[in-house]
Amino acid sequence: MIKNIALSTLLLISTFVFAQNTAMSGAEAKAFVTKVSSETKEIKTLQADFTQTKKMDFLDKSIVTYGKMSLKTPNILSWKYTKPYQYSIVFKDNKIFINDQGKKSSVDAKSKTFEKINKLIVGSSNGQMFNDPEFSVTYLKNANFNVAKFTPKSAQLLKYIKQIELSFPKGQSTVSQVNMTEASGDTTNIVFKNTKINAPIAASEFSL
């Protein structure tokens, strides 16, 4: 359960994109990265509601869950599922804090796969994700979105993640959709809405 939640959080910031992606030119990719990196440096907090749809080979129906994501730079992240069950996970102080419907626990995240995932999520709010040495990045575009596709370089991370696509609406610098394919072939789609940038966040959002 922890692995699935952690993988699903890749996350950061609306509907499925069926349009055909084409590769950006070198100049387009450079301009896109420069714009996102520059504008996201001003982000101190980020909040959004999300809908997550997970497709698994052994299930006929997709699993749809709802919740709220809160992020505070430089590296505090809260991911709270509210429907159809309650499950919260907070990345803070190199630890993962979990509240599974009242049952609380923590996991040391330092130097583990979870730490790399957390780093990528936080990097999506400050533009540093494009410089993460753990991933190679391909830049694509379609009629509605600019897309950054991340492929893990390490064999350790490839055991869990095949690729991650972050979609940015044209003209915007925050992620509105995440599409992830796990090594097993299972897929996760996360759509963000009601995004708030630099709005105050209560300390309680990052506590369990």
Side-chain angles (χ1 to χ4, degrees):
M1 181 64 174
I2 296 174
K3 183 187 76 173
N4 288 339
I5 296 297
L7 292 174
S8 299
T9 58
L10 292 181
L11 55 258
L12 240 224
I13 314 226
S14 307
T15 56
F16 282 95
V17 182
F18 293 106
Q20 180 66 43
N21 289 334
T22 59
M24 290 187 188
S25 66
E28 288 174 328
K30 182 177 180 180
F32 168 68
V33 171
T34 298
K35 175 181 171 63
V36 172
S37 299
S38 175
E39 294 184 0
T40 54
K41 284 180 180 179
E42 304 302 319
I43 295 177
K44 304 301 180 184
T45 67
L46 187 69
Q47 301 171 81
D49 298 323
F50 68 84
T51 300
Q52 175 182 300
T53 304
K54 187 173 183 65
K55 293 184 177 181
M56 307 177 76
D57 286 342
F58 62 87
L59 294 177
D60 293 332
K61 293 183 178 180
S62 298
I63 301 172
V64 181
T65 50
Y66 304 88
K68 180 179 181 180
M69 182 274 294
S70 300
L71 183 148
K72 183 177 181 180
T73 59
N75 57 6
I76 303 177
L77 176 69
S78 169
W79 200 262
K80 296 186 177 181
Y81 291 80
T82 56
K83 294 180 181 180
Y85 53 80
Q86 293 186 336
Y87 188 101
S88 300
I89 181 167
V90 174
F91 292 81
K92 182 170 63 175
D93 300 328
N94 290 320
K95 285 186 176 292
I96 301 172
F97 299 91
I98 300 161
N99 187 338
D100 184 358
Q101 302 184 86
K103 184 178 180 180
K104 298 181 181 181
S105 60
S106 64
V107 179
D108 186 2
K110 192 172 184 179
S111 300
K112 295 181 183 291
T113 300
F114 298 123
E115 187 273 338
K116 296 180 178 66
I117 293 170
N118 183 41
K119 182 180 177 182
L120 183 60
I121 298 167
V122 174
S124 70
S125 71
N126 59 21
Q128 294 302 310
M129 58 185 163
F130 300 124
N131 301 320
D132 194 319
E134 296 287 341
F135 297 87
S136 60
V137 190
T138 302
Y139 299 100
L140 309 167
K141 63 181 180 178
N142 58 56
N144 301 311
F145 295 91
N146 291 315
V147 179
K149 182 168 71 174
F150 294 79
T151 303
K153 295 180 180 179
S154 71
Q156 179 188 18
L157 206 50
L158 279 168
K159 292 179 181 179
Y160 304 103
I161 304 169
K162 183 177 180 180
Q163 69 176 36
I164 303 158
E165 289 187 357
L166 304 184
S167 296
F168 301 74
K170 288 292 182 69
Q172 296 185 29
S173 298
T174 54
V175 177
S176 69
Q177 184 175 179
V178 177
N179 285 295
M180 181 180 67
T181 303
E182 298 178 26
S184 63
D186 295 343
T187 62
T188 301
N189 169 265
I190 304 173
V191 175
F192 297 97
K193 64 179 182 179
N194 302 325
T195 301
K196 298 178 182 178
I197 297 174
N198 292 336
I201 301 179
S204 60
E205 287 295 322
F206 302 108
S207 64
L208 301 176

